[in-house]
Amino acid sequence: MNPQVASEDNPYHAMEARLDLAAARLGLEPNLISILRTCEREITVSMPVVMDDGSVNVFEGFRVQHSTSRGPAKGGIRFAMNVNREEVRALAAWMTWKCAVVNVPFGGGKGGVVCDPFKMSKGELERVTRRYVTGIMDFIGPDRDVPAPDMGTDGQVMAWFMDTYSMHSRNYLPASVTGKPISLGGSLGRIEATGRGVMLCAREALKHLGMNPKECTVAVQGSGNVGMISALQLASIGIKVVAMSDVHGALYNENGLDLAGLRKHMQVQRKLDGFKGGDRLSNKELLELSVDILVPAATENVINSRNAAKIQAKIIVEGANGPVSAKADKILDDKGVFVVPDILANAGGVTVSYFEWVQDRMSFFWTQREVEERMERIMVDSFAATVDMAQRFGESNRIAAYMLGVDRVAETTRMRGIYA
Ligand code: GLU
C-alpha cells in the first residue's frame, strides 16, 4: 500500500486491509496474494453525448474486472457524480469475494459513469447508457462480464443496456445483463432480493444471539431500493423500524415508522422531507441511535474511526458495500458488535442475478417461490458457514467471510495455474 495515498476513506485500501488479514490467516502463498490484490482489467471510456439543449457533454465511464477466476465478472453499474476509478476497483473486488462467499459461479466486476442521473432527462440517460455500453462492448457479454444495477441505475437502464448489447451483437442476448424488467427476461424476486437477503441475515443473526425479532428495533440508513426493501422486509418479521434516512437527513419515531405511508410519500416526492410521521434527525444521529439493529444501506465509510465508538446497535447488517472502514472494524469488534459484513449481508442481490442469468440462458423461468426458496437456502447456508468459520478461527465475521471467499478464489486461481 502506498502510504502517500493510504487513507481510511480509500475503499480499495479498505478492501486490501481485509484481504491481507484473511490471506495471512489462510496462509496463502505470496504470489497468489499479489494476484488477488490486483484487478485483471480496467477500462475507461469518454463518452460524448448530445444533451437535450443541443450542447455536447463528455462523460467519463469505467468498467473494472477484478477477477474472472471462478466465472464471468459480475457486478453493478453506478451512475453518480462522485464515482471514481479507485472506488469502482474496490467495488469490483468486493463483488469477487461476495460471489465466492455465496458460491455462485462468477468473478467480480463493477462499472461507473460520472453523471447525476437525477438531473438528467430520460432521453439523456438513455443516450449515456447506450454510449457506455458501446464503449465497453468488446469486454463484456454473458460469458465475460455481466453488469447489473447499482446506485443510480435501475431496470430501465438495464433494458437499454440489454437492447444496445443485443443490437450490436445481432442476437437476442438477455443474459448480457441482470436486473432487467420481467418482460425482458428479468427474474421474479430480483428487485426485492438485496433487501430480502438483509432481512434473512438479520433474522439469522438474531437467532444466533438468542434475540426475539418482535422485541427488536432497527434503524435503516438509506431509503433507495436496498434501504426501503430492507425496512419492509425487516418489519415483515416483526422488527420495529424506528428510523430511516435519505441523503438530506433522517426520520425517527420510537413507536415505529409508518412504512407504507413513507414509501408512498417517497414515490411521489423522491425524498423523506415533508413526511409527517416522526422527528427529524441527521444521518449522523441515526447511526448513533440506541437500537438493536443498524442497517447502513447507503454508501461507503459511514461508520469510521470518528464515530464507531458511538455506535449503540448490537447488530450491524451491511446493506451497502463498504459502509464500515477498516479502522472501525477493530473498534466495533472491541465493543462486541455483531457485524454481518457486506459481502454476505447484501449478497441476496447478486444471488438472484445469478438465477436471472441461468433462467435467461435456459429461456425457462422460475416462480417467485422457487427463486425465494433457492435464495433463502443460499443465504442461510452462507451465514452459517461464515459464523462457523469465525468461531473456528476466533476471527470477526468480516474476516471469516473474506476467508471463505478468498479461499475459494485462491483455489480456482491455483488450479488454473499461471498461463505464460
Ligand atoms: N450492485 C449489486 C451489488 O453490489 C448487485 C450486483 C449484481 O447483481 O450483479 O451486489
Side-chain angles (χ1 to χ4, degrees):
M1 188 189 296
N2 176 356
Q4 293 285 295
V5 289
S7 95
E8 181 178 2
D9 295 330
N10 180 313
Y12 201 76
H13 295 157
M15 187 288 296
E16 286 177 317
R18 278 75 168 248
L19 166 61
D20 287 348
L21 284 173
R25 211 67 180 83
L26 290 165
L28 283 194
E29 312 85 295
N31 287 342
L32 208 47
I33 302 176
S34 352
I35 296 173
L36 301 181
R37 274 169 138 263
T38 321
C39 294
E40 276 177 22
R41 180 183 271 148
E42 302 185 4
I43 305 143
T44 305
V45 284
S46 72
M47 307 172 287
V49 171
V50 181
M51 308 305 280
D52 288 348
D53 65 3
S55 65
V56 172
N57 213 337
V58 184
F59 293 90
E60 188 177 32
F62 314 104
R63 183 74 190 169
V64 174
Q65 295 162 353
H66 170 261
S67 170
T68 52
S69 184
R70 303 179 78 248
K74 184 86 193 81
I77 303 162
R78 183 169 287 197
F79 281 7
M81 276 318 281
N82 59 357
V83 71
N84 59 71
R85 192 198 306 233
E86 197 75 349
E87 179 187 23
V88 176
R89 279 186 189 136
L91 291 161
W94 282 326
M95 286 309 302
T96 304
W97 316 133
K98 190 186 304 185
C99 290
V101 167
V102 287
N103 213 359
V104 296
F106 286 128
K110 203 82 174 195
V113 175
V114 185
C115 67
D116 185 346
F118 304 103
K119 292 214 173 112
M120 283 152 62
S121 70
K122 198 170 174 191
E124 289 169 342
L125 206 54
E126 177 173 357
R127 292 195 288 282
V128 168
T129 303
R130 290 187 185 280
R131 185 73 203 218
Y132 174 65
V133 181
T134 319
I136 62 171
M137 177 90 199
D138 291 341
F139 304 99
I140 57 171
D143 291 307
R144 284 190 190 141
D145 180 357
V146 186
D150 196 74
M151 274 161 66
T153 57
D154 59 10
Q156 174 64 80
V157 173
M158 299 306 118
W160 292 323
F161 198 108
M162 171 270 186
D163 180 69
T164 313
Y165 189 83
S166 295
M167 296 289 283
H168 280 275
S169 307
R170 308 285 190 263
N171 269 311
Y172 180 75
L173 287 168
S176 54
V177 66
T178 60
K180 301 178 296 296
I182 306 295
S183 57
L184 292 178
S187 176
L188 292 168
R190 175 63 185 87
I191 290 187
E192 305 89 310
T194 312
R196 192 159 172 275
V198 165
M199 176 277 283
L200 292 170
C201 285
R203 189 191 74 188
E204 294 304 297
L206 292 173
K207 215 185 279 172
H208 177 76
L209 299 171
M211 291 163 73
N212 179 358
K214 298 201 167 62
E215 290 163 7
C216 288
T217 54
V218 63
V220 179
Q221 189 199 33
S223 44
N225 180 255
V226 180
M228 186 53 88
I229 308 270
S230 296
L232 291 163
Q233 291 275 332
L234 291 163
S236 78
I237 59 164
I239 300 174
K240 197 194 288 172
V241 182
V242 294
M244 286 195 72
S245 71
D246 65 9
V247 280
H248 309 291
L251 206 58
Y252 172 71
N253 185 336
E254 62 173 349
N255 299 314
L257 291 167
D258 161 21
L259 292 180
L262 188 61
R263 195 181 193 193
K264 239 185 245 152
H265 174 88
M266 289 286 296
Q267 275 159 355
V268 181
Q269 306 291 333
R270 301 183 77 179
K271 56 178 185 216
L272 287 179
D273 204 23
F275 185 73
K276 307 257 176 293
D279 305 323
R280 295 293 291 176
L281 293 181
S282 68
N283 258 296
K284 184 176 169 297
E285 288 168 319
L286 176 143
L287 294 169
E288 295 166 14
L289 282 172
S290 168
V291 284
D292 298 294
I293 310 169
L294 177 63
V295 176
T299 189
E300 290 107 69
N301 293 324
V302 295
I303 300 171
N304 47 56
S305 60
R306 300 174 290 280
N307 66 355
K310 298 189 205 132
I311 302 294
Q312 298 190 63
K314 300 178 189 77
I315 301 172
I316 296 178
V317 186
E318 299 181 357
N321 292 308
V324 174
S325 79
K327 268 196 188 163
D329 279 352
K330 167 123 185 52
I331 304 171
L332 296 175
D333 276 356
D334 290 347
K335 280 167 65 83
V337 182
F338 188 92
V339 177
V340 187
D342 48 5
I343 55 174
L344 168 65
N346 69 41
V350 77
T351 301
V352 178
S353 273
Y354 164 57
F355 297 161
E356 180 173 333
W357 180 80
V358 169
Q359 292 169 78
D360 286 339
R361 307 196 86 180
M362 298 190 297
S363 284
F364 181 73
F365 292 89
W366 309 348
T367 62
Q368 177 114 13
R369 193 158 161 201
E370 284 170 305
V371 170
E372 286 181 0
E373 282 177 1
R374 287 187 168 118
M375 191 262 232
E376 178 159 348
R377 210 174 310 139
I378 290 182
M379 292 304 293
V380 170
D381 288 352
S382 307
F383 179 93
T386 302
V387 170
D388 178 61
M389 185 74 122
Q391 283 172 343
R392 270 194 296 132
F393 284 81
E395 284 292 346
S396 65
N397 290 334
R398 188 184 311 283
I399 297 307
Y402 269 75
M403 287 170 72
L404 260 184
V406 169
D407 193 36
R408 288 184 177 144
V409 183
E411 164 73 6
T412 52
T413 309
R414 209 182 279 121
M415 291 291 288
R416 287 177 65 156
I418 295 178
Y419 178 64

mmCIF file of all heavy atoms in Angstrom, residues 339-357:
data_model
loop_
_atom_site.group_PDB
_atom_site.id
_atom_site.type_symbol
_atom_site.label_atom_id
_atom_site.label_comp_id
_atom_site.label_asym_id
_atom_site.label_seq_id
_atom_site.Cartn_x
_atom_site.Cartn_y
_atom_site.Cartn_z
ATOM 1 N N VAL A 339 -21.323 -7.970 13.601
ATOM 2 C CA VAL A 339 -21.408 -7.360 12.262
ATOM 3 C C VAL A 339 -21.651 -8.446 11.218
ATOM 4 O O VAL A 339 -20.916 -9.439 11.161
ATOM 5 C CB VAL A 339 -20.101 -6.606 11.924
ATOM 6 C CG1 VAL A 339 -20.155 -6.038 10.506
ATOM 7 C CG2 VAL A 339 -19.849 -5.487 12.932
ATOM 8 N N VAL A 340 -22.703 -8.271 10.406
ATOM 9 C CA VAL A 340 -22.864 -9.143 9.231
ATOM 10 C C VAL A 340 -22.288 -8.345 8.059
ATOM 11 O O VAL A 340 -22.859 -7.341 7.637
ATOM 12 C CB VAL A 340 -24.342 -9.519 8.966
ATOM 13 C CG1 VAL A 340 -24.412 -10.550 7.840
ATOM 14 C CG2 VAL A 340 -25.007 -10.041 10.227
ATOM 15 N N PRO A 341 -21.107 -8.758 7.561
ATOM 16 C CA PRO A 341 -20.385 -7.929 6.586
ATOM 17 C C PRO A 341 -21.082 -7.875 5.226
ATOM 18 O O PRO A 341 -21.781 -8.815 4.832
ATOM 19 C CB PRO A 341 -19.032 -8.628 6.475
ATOM 20 C CG PRO A 341 -19.299 -10.048 6.827
ATOM 21 C CD PRO A 341 -20.401 -10.024 7.846
ATOM 22 N N ASP A 342 -20.825 -6.767 4.532
ATOM 23 C CA ASP A 342 -21.416 -6.516 3.209
ATOM 24 C C ASP A 342 -21.349 -7.692 2.241
ATOM 25 O O ASP A 342 -22.338 -8.017 1.572
ATOM 26 C CB ASP A 342 -20.750 -5.278 2.569
ATOM 27 C CG ASP A 342 -19.222 -5.285 2.636
ATOM 28 O OD1 ASP A 342 -18.642 -6.291 3.102
ATOM 29 O OD2 ASP A 342 -18.607 -4.282 2.214
ATOM 30 N N ILE A 343 -20.183 -8.355 2.174
ATOM 31 C CA ILE A 343 -20.026 -9.403 1.156
ATOM 32 C C ILE A 343 -20.901 -10.622 1.450
ATOM 33 O O ILE A 343 -21.053 -11.493 0.604
ATOM 34 C CB ILE A 343 -18.541 -9.824 0.959
ATOM 35 C CG1 ILE A 343 -17.898 -10.250 2.272
ATOM 36 C CG2 ILE A 343 -17.756 -8.680 0.300
ATOM 37 C CD1 ILE A 343 -16.470 -10.804 2.105
ATOM 38 N N LEU A 344 -21.516 -10.649 2.633
ATOM 39 C CA LEU A 344 -22.533 -11.653 2.926
ATOM 40 C C LEU A 344 -23.918 -10.979 2.969
ATOM 41 O O LEU A 344 -24.857 -11.428 2.313
ATOM 42 C CB LEU A 344 -22.222 -12.306 4.288
ATOM 43 C CG LEU A 344 -23.312 -13.171 4.899
ATOM 44 C CD1 LEU A 344 -23.592 -14.405 4.043
ATOM 45 C CD2 LEU A 344 -22.899 -13.630 6.315
ATOM 46 N N ALA A 345 -24.019 -9.889 3.710
ATOM 47 C CA ALA A 345 -25.327 -9.295 4.007
ATOM 48 C C ALA A 345 -26.073 -8.815 2.765
ATOM 49 O O ALA A 345 -27.297 -8.911 2.694
ATOM 50 C CB ALA A 345 -25.163 -8.135 4.987
ATOM 51 N N ASN A 346 -25.347 -8.265 1.774
ATOM 52 C CA ASN A 346 -26.083 -7.765 0.604
ATOM 53 C C ASN A 346 -25.941 -8.680 -0.613
ATOM 54 O O ASN A 346 -26.261 -8.290 -1.734
ATOM 55 C CB ASN A 346 -25.720 -6.299 0.300
ATOM 56 C CG ASN A 346 -24.296 -6.128 -0.199
ATOM 57 O OD1 ASN A 346 -23.794 -6.914 -0.994
ATOM 58 N ND2 ASN A 346 -23.628 -5.067 0.255
ATOM 59 N N ALA A 347 -25.540 -9.931 -0.352
ATOM 60 C CA ALA A 347 -25.309 -10.868 -1.460
ATOM 61 C C ALA A 347 -26.597 -11.454 -2.046
ATOM 62 O O ALA A 347 -26.555 -12.159 -3.065
ATOM 63 C CB ALA A 347 -24.392 -11.993 -1.002
ATOM 64 N N GLY A 348 -27.739 -11.166 -1.414
ATOM 65 C CA GLY A 348 -29.015 -11.657 -1.969
ATOM 66 C C GLY A 348 -29.238 -11.130 -3.379
ATOM 67 O O GLY A 348 -29.796 -11.825 -4.244
ATOM 68 N N GLY A 349 -28.791 -9.898 -3.636
ATOM 69 C CA GLY A 349 -28.983 -9.283 -4.958
ATOM 70 C C GLY A 349 -28.253 -10.050 -6.041
ATOM 71 O O GLY A 349 -28.843 -10.461 -7.045
ATOM 72 N N VAL A 350 -26.977 -10.294 -5.836
ATOM 73 C CA VAL A 350 -26.221 -10.981 -6.891
ATOM 74 C C VAL A 350 -26.625 -12.461 -6.977
ATOM 75 O O VAL A 350 -26.536 -13.068 -8.044
ATOM 76 C CB VAL A 350 -24.695 -10.792 -6.725
ATOM 77 C CG1 VAL A 350 -24.116 -11.659 -5.631
ATOM 78 C CG2 VAL A 350 -23.999 -11.074 -8.051
ATOM 79 N N THR A 351 -27.106 -13.009 -5.875
ATOM 80 C CA THR A 351 -27.569 -14.403 -5.923
ATOM 81 C C THR A 351 -28.757 -14.524 -6.883
ATOM 82 O O THR A 351 -28.799 -15.427 -7.735
ATOM 83 C CB THR A 351 -27.955 -14.884 -4.500
ATOM 84 O OG1 THR A 351 -26.803 -14.767 -3.671
ATOM 85 C CG2 THR A 351 -28.446 -16.306 -4.504
ATOM 86 N N VAL A 352 -29.704 -13.586 -6.771
ATOM 87 C CA VAL A 352 -30.851 -13.660 -7.690
ATOM 88 C C VAL A 352 -30.444 -13.185 -9.097
ATOM 89 O O VAL A 352 -31.006 -13.631 -10.095
ATOM 90 C CB VAL A 352 -32.087 -12.935 -7.112
ATOM 91 C CG1 VAL A 352 -33.253 -12.982 -8.097
ATOM 92 C CG2 VAL A 352 -32.497 -13.589 -5.793
ATOM 93 N N SER A 353 -29.414 -12.333 -9.206
ATOM 94 C CA SER A 353 -28.869 -12.009 -10.529
ATOM 95 C C SER A 353 -28.353 -13.284 -11.196
ATOM 96 O O SER A 353 -28.519 -13.491 -12.402
ATOM 97 C CB SER A 353 -27.712 -11.015 -10.419
ATOM 98 O OG SER A 353 -28.184 -9.696 -10.410
ATOM 99 N N TYR A 354 -27.716 -14.129 -10.408
ATOM 100 C CA TYR A 354 -27.231 -15.416 -10.944
ATOM 101 C C TYR A 354 -28.425 -16.246 -11.432
ATOM 102 O O TYR A 354 -28.400 -16.802 -12.533
ATOM 103 C CB TYR A 354 -26.430 -16.138 -9.858
ATOM 104 C CG TYR A 354 -26.205 -17.601 -10.129
ATOM 105 C CD1 TYR A 354 -25.564 -18.021 -11.309
ATOM 106 C CD2 TYR A 354 -26.624 -18.583 -9.230
ATOM 107 C CE1 TYR A 354 -25.362 -19.377 -11.555
ATOM 108 C CE2 TYR A 354 -26.426 -19.924 -9.467
ATOM 109 C CZ TYR A 354 -25.807 -20.318 -10.643
ATOM 110 O OH TYR A 354 -25.625 -21.652 -10.892
ATOM 111 N N PHE A 355 -29.493 -16.289 -10.625
ATOM 112 C CA PHE A 355 -30.684 -17.037 -11.056
ATOM 113 C C PHE A 355 -31.237 -16.458 -12.365
ATOM 114 O O PHE A 355 -31.692 -17.183 -13.241
ATOM 115 C CB PHE A 355 -31.782 -16.986 -9.989
ATOM 116 C CG PHE A 355 -31.421 -17.636 -8.668
ATOM 117 C CD1 PHE A 355 -32.145 -17.331 -7.512
ATOM 118 C CD2 PHE A 355 -30.368 -18.545 -8.565
ATOM 119 C CE1 PHE A 355 -31.836 -17.924 -6.299
ATOM 120 C CE2 PHE A 355 -30.047 -19.146 -7.345
ATOM 121 C CZ PHE A 355 -30.776 -18.827 -6.214
ATOM 122 N N GLU A 356 -31.206 -15.122 -12.470
ATOM 123 C CA GLU A 356 -31.715 -14.467 -13.693
ATOM 124 C C GLU A 356 -30.879 -14.895 -14.903
ATOM 125 O O GLU A 356 -31.407 -15.235 -15.958
ATOM 126 C CB GLU A 356 -31.664 -12.938 -13.516
ATOM 127 C CG GLU A 356 -32.177 -12.166 -14.726
ATOM 128 C CD GLU A 356 -32.269 -10.658 -14.459
ATOM 129 O OE1 GLU A 356 -32.436 -10.234 -13.293
ATOM 130 O OE2 GLU A 356 -32.179 -9.892 -15.445
ATOM 131 N N TRP A 357 -29.586 -14.898 -14.736
ATOM 132 C CA TRP A 357 -28.656 -15.281 -15.814
ATOM 133 C C TRP A 357 -28.901 -16.733 -16.231
ATOM 134 O O TRP A 357 -28.969 -17.054 -17.411
ATOM 135 C CB TRP A 357 -27.242 -15.069 -15.271
ATOM 136 C CG TRP A 357 -26.077 -15.367 -16.137
ATOM 137 C CD1 TRP A 357 -25.555 -14.583 -17.126
ATOM 138 C CD2 TRP A 357 -25.220 -16.521 -16.050
ATOM 139 N NE1 TRP A 357 -24.427 -15.169 -17.648
ATOM 140 C CE2 TRP A 357 -24.200 -16.358 -17.009
ATOM 141 C CE3 TRP A 357 -25.213 -17.665 -15.249
ATOM 142 C CZ2 TRP A 357 -23.187 -17.301 -17.200
ATOM 143 C CZ3 TRP A 357 -24.197 -18.606 -15.432
ATOM 144 C CH2 TRP A 357 -23.202 -18.421 -16.393
#
